[in-house]
Amino acid sequence: MAMKRESILVIGANGQIGTALLPLLRTQFGQSHVIATDLRQPQSDQGLFELLDATKPDALTDVVRRYRITQIYHLAAVLSAKGESDPIWAWNLNMQTVLNVLEVARLHKVKKVFIPSSIAAFGEHAPKYDTPQMAFLDPATVYGISKVATENWSMYYHKRYGLDVRSLRYPGVISYQSMPGGGTTDYAVSIYHEAVQGHNFECFLSADTLLPMIYMDDALRATLELMDAPEANISVRTSYNLAGMSFTPAELTKAIQVHFPDFVTEYKPDFRQAIADSWPKTIDDSVAQQDWGWKPAFDLPRMTQEMITNLTPVYQPLVSTL
Ligand code: SER
């Protein structure tokens, strides 16, 4: 029997995760079976792309119908730090897009949906170390509140309509492919960009702020492994805890100094310190391990090596071959 081809919609394709996930999806499902969408045109043209404002249900419905979409990856969101500058706008954007995705997926019989959550779903009353899958969720940011609501709406659509929605609580995601925008964990990306240019780094968190992080390769592999797992294995329909590694800015600085001994970080904590302090320090992801075999591959030294190797050529002056 011929296998039915999937048709994959990525919302927020120009963002930090979308940029890195697209090539993998295009390899797995075929160039003409992955439709990238975003509010803005991508910087480089690499395949099927449509401008899409996912806060508009009709526009989303139109794309889903035209391409007979079978899977949606909804990666558009206002992150933790940026959300605090305009909480009502951030809430509306994050929730309208999620509700549109869930409702359009239900009405048009989309087979699988991925909507990520975050460590930002946790707040003051969750244990800070080895934060368990089931913990009290009282987030301190509007981003976190929207992620808790998203988790509950996802579970509701699964229970009530049988929609196959899956989710991961991403730690801070570190990648070289593109810059994150507006997050509290962004320092751990910016620091590498400064280091490879021979600059010092000014860190907006204090030296000893321990946070859960993950290298992009691991985050993407977790996403694809979760989406590939048999439906019967998925016991969590809110969102799975996911761990990569945990480190402080001081530990990250030391790991970079192995490659650049003169590298210096200065600490000037700002409003993002309180956000970071409200989050877990380490994550217990044993349910993800049991249900679909999750195991991260990258620790701090290996990630640092990869980040420096990939970012160094970006900042090298163009050498004329004439
Ligand atoms: N990386 C995100 C942020 O810092 C957390 O999900 O907002």
Side-chain angles (χ1 to χ4, degrees):
M1 198 176 72
M3 216 173 70
K4 193 178 168 301
R5 295 300 293 263
E6 298 290 331
S7 186
I8 316 284
L9 175 64
V10 179
I11 301 169
N14 299 347
Q16 190 198 7
I17 293 170
T19 303
L21 180 62
L22 268 178
L24 299 190
L25 291 174
R26 289 190 162 132
T27 303
Q28 186 173 340
F29 295 102
Q31 284 283 340
S32 58
H33 292 266
V34 179
I35 295 86
T37 65
D38 206 291
L39 277 175
R40 276 168 283 277
Q41 288 286 348
Q43 291 197 325
S44 62
D45 231 4
Q46 268 147 14
L48 276 176
F49 179 87
E50 297 251 351
L51 282 175
L52 175 68
D53 178 353
T55 62
K56 307 265 188 305
D58 294 348
L60 179 61
T61 301
D62 176 56
V63 173
V64 167
R65 288 170 81 155
R66 264 191 295 125
Y67 290 98
R68 297 167 194 258
I69 294 300
T70 61
Q71 294 190 26
I72 301 177
Y73 288 75
H74 176 36
L75 306 174
V78 181
L79 295 186
S80 61
K82 194 169 173 193
E84 294 310 288
S85 64
D86 193 343
I88 303 300
W89 163 75
W91 167 263
N92 284 335
L93 192 146
N94 288 355
M95 292 319 299
Q96 271 171 13
T97 56
V98 163
L99 291 173
N100 288 343
V101 166
L102 291 171
E103 191 59 4
V104 170
R106 172 179 84 83
L107 291 170
H108 295 274
K109 313 229 171 324
V110 172
K111 287 193 301 193
K112 275 190 216 172
V113 179
F114 178 75
I115 310 180
S117 182
S118 159
I119 51 167
F122 297 107
E124 192 185 335
H125 292 95
K128 291 272 179 261
Y129 288 91
D130 283 331
T131 307
Q133 178 66 48
M134 295 298 287
F136 192 73
L137 300 177
D138 55 351
T141 60
V142 69
Y143 171 67
I145 300 172
S146 75
K147 286 301 183 190
V148 173
T150 297
E151 291 188 8
N152 284 306
W153 273 108
S154 299
M155 186 173 65
Y156 178 86
Y157 267 73
H158 178 257
K159 270 197 181 147
R160 172 134 190 219
Y161 305 116
L163 187 66
D164 190 356
V165 198
R166 304 182 183 196
S167 180
L168 298 170
R169 288 177 180 146
Y170 286 134
V173 179
I174 295 158
S175 65
Y176 62 86
Q177 292 90 338
S178 69
M179 296 297 274
T184 302
T185 56
D186 296 9
Y187 91 85
V189 177
S190 314
I191 193 171
Y192 286 109
H193 286 260
E194 298 305 319
V196 298
Q197 294 178 80
H199 300 161
N200 289 348
F201 179 63
E202 192 177 293
C203 186
F204 57 73
L205 298 181
S206 65
D208 59 351
T209 309
L210 184 62
L211 283 172
M213 302 279 187
I214 192 166
Y215 188 51
M216 182 62 90
D217 286 30
D218 274 342
L220 297 180
R221 187 166 54 80
T223 306
L224 296 176
E225 285 178 5
L226 170 69
M227 291 301 273
D228 274 349
E231 201 167 346
N233 288 26
I234 308 298
S235 71
V236 174
R237 288 294 180 171
T238 49
S239 188
Y240 278 99
N241 276 13
L242 183 75
M245 60 189 98
S246 283
F247 57 77
T248 65
E251 287 164 350
L252 177 51
T253 299
K254 264 202 185 137
I256 291 174
Q257 283 167 342
V258 171
H259 304 264
F260 301 104
D262 298 334
F263 178 66
V264 174
T265 299
E266 291 166 73
Y267 298 95
K268 295 218 172 115
D270 65 15
F271 73 101
R272 290 168 279 196
Q273 185 67 47
I275 299 177
D277 290 342
S278 76
W279 289 352
K281 296 182 183 302
T282 61
I283 296 288
D284 175 353
D285 64 0
S286 48
V287 184
Q289 293 172 33
Q290 281 154 27
D291 283 5
W292 43 277
W294 171 241
K295 196 175 185 308
F298 284 83
D299 59 9
L300 182 53
R302 187 170 170 212
M303 176 178 78
T304 298
Q305 174 73 61
E306 290 265 322
M307 287 293 286
I308 290 172
T309 304
N310 284 289
L311 284 176
T312 299
V314 175
Y315 291 102
Q316 259 164 8
L318 290 173
V319 180
S320 168
T321 50
L322 290 177

